[in-house]
Amino acid sequence: MDEAHQHYQKLKQELQEALVDRETLEKQWDQIQQEIFDKESAYLTGNSSSQYGTIVKGFDAFGKHIHDSAHAFSDKDRIFSLSSARFVKQQEGDDKGGDGQA
Amino acid sequence: MDPSSALEQTTHDVSNLQAEFRYILDEIKNADLRVYEQRKKYVQRDAQVQKFVKQHGSGTENPREGELSQKIERELQDCVESQRGKCVLANTALFLVSKHLSKLEKTIRVLEGDNLLAPAEEDKETESGGDNSRESSVMSGERRRKATPTAAVVAPKRKRRADSTPVPRQKDSTPGGGSDANFDLQDYNDDLFSGYNQAEEDDKQLYCFCQSVSYGEMVACDGPNCKYEWFHYTCVNLKEPPKGAWYCPDCRQELANTRLKKRKA
């Protein structure tokens, strides 16, 4: 019985630690996602995006200064953020803890 | 090889990147969706196991528990597989960009070596100078030179700052150290791409008027229009972090000039 109890305690502790780990990882996950989102925004709206083009829009506009159209990007162009299912679900709002979005 | 054909070749080379990236990120998305769905499944199964315990107490054996555990394990395994696939895909994307980048850099070096291109400090400018002439696809040296100063005025700099901020963050730190927030990601990346990630991402960015990769301590110039923004301590004769605002020699000169003008006016 004592052995079983020890085993139980050990498992319990493992579980607790795993839960804490998971929480930390989820927080980091959100952070990283936010970071991707921010960098993506910076990249897509950056000054040079209109001048050089971006990897999303292609580089056809290279040096042509198409200001408005090149600057404007829709949410569809967020290919980096959108590659995360979690991000998509958070946007749709059916995931708990939706703080990973702007 | 001359600059205009080099530029044309490069723009031609990168013209596929858009589609490639869209494809790769789509694939990553699909893999992530698989992970998401699998996760939903095993969470559900886990809930089933827990529900049984709640209903029958932990003493009663759940006849289905073994089966459920197996399934959960398989689903977790699937997730791991999908995640691996994502890493490979992301790696591929990085590789594609790196390939083009190093090719372009090599071309530029060759052109510089042949004295067909102004030395490295004008990397940015020549690139944008090239843009303008791409439309006509004829680029005489004269035209390039004419295009250089106008094209280089402000636009590239903002971008560069945005680009480089995540890397060199603090005045007195080396550009390699990230903040806590992205530290783990960095770690992870280093693990994953240890081969070329560092070389491509961190080190390939050229700083300072000597246009070398970052090494040792770096200092940021506070000049709003600074061409380089980051300098090696050794290049600007610094031994410790400067107190207050610090300007590079060029910006100091410019600052002095504007002050002089103001006084005259």
Tab-separated table of all heavy atoms in Angstrom, chain B residues 74 78 106 144 213:
chain	number	residue	atom	x	y	z
B	74	ARG	N	-1.415	7.319	-30.133
B	74	ARG	CA	-1.238	7.364	-31.573
B	74	ARG	C	-1.488	8.777	-32.098
B	74	ARG	O	-0.768	9.285	-32.956
B	74	ARG	CB	-2.192	6.371	-32.256
B	74	ARG	CG	-1.557	5.745	-33.495
B	74	ARG	CD	-2.464	4.693	-34.113
B	74	ARG	NE	-2.893	3.681	-33.145
B	74	ARG	CZ	-4.151	3.209	-33.058
B	74	ARG	NH1	-5.086	3.688	-33.860
B	74	ARG	NH2	-4.460	2.292	-32.196
B	78	ASP	N	0.981	11.250	-34.043
B	78	ASP	CA	0.640	11.944	-35.287
B	78	ASP	C	0.972	13.426	-35.197
B	78	ASP	O	1.490	14.023	-36.144
B	78	ASP	CB	-0.862	11.805	-35.575
B	78	ASP	CG	-1.168	10.505	-36.306
B	78	ASP	OD1	-0.196	9.778	-36.598
B	78	ASP	OD2	-2.348	10.245	-36.561
B	106	LYS	N	26.870	37.132	-53.409
B	106	LYS	CA	28.036	36.699	-54.171
B	106	LYS	C	28.156	37.518	-55.460
B	106	LYS	O	29.238	37.992	-55.830
B	106	LYS	CB	27.907	35.207	-54.493
B	106	LYS	CG	29.244	34.520	-54.652
B	106	LYS	CD	29.060	33.009	-54.661
B	106	LYS	CE	29.610	32.407	-55.923
B	106	LYS	NZ	29.068	31.064	-56.188
B	144	ARG	N	22.588	54.907	-63.202
B	144	ARG	CA	22.572	54.297	-61.881
B	144	ARG	C	23.009	55.296	-60.832
B	144	ARG	O	22.415	55.438	-59.782
B	144	ARG	CB	23.506	53.090	-61.864
B	144	ARG	CG	23.483	52.349	-60.554
B	144	ARG	CD	24.104	50.989	-60.704
B	144	ARG	NE	25.518	51.054	-61.033
B	144	ARG	CZ	26.438	51.404	-60.160
B	144	ARG	NH1	26.095	51.704	-58.942
B	144	ARG	NH2	27.696	51.456	-60.501
B	213	VAL	N	29.783	41.855	-40.747
B	213	VAL	CA	28.759	41.285	-39.887
B	213	VAL	C	28.997	41.781	-38.468
B	213	VAL	O	30.041	42.341	-38.162
B	213	VAL	CB	28.826	39.746	-39.894
B	213	VAL	CG1	28.479	39.237	-41.266
B	213	VAL	CG2	30.193	39.267	-39.469
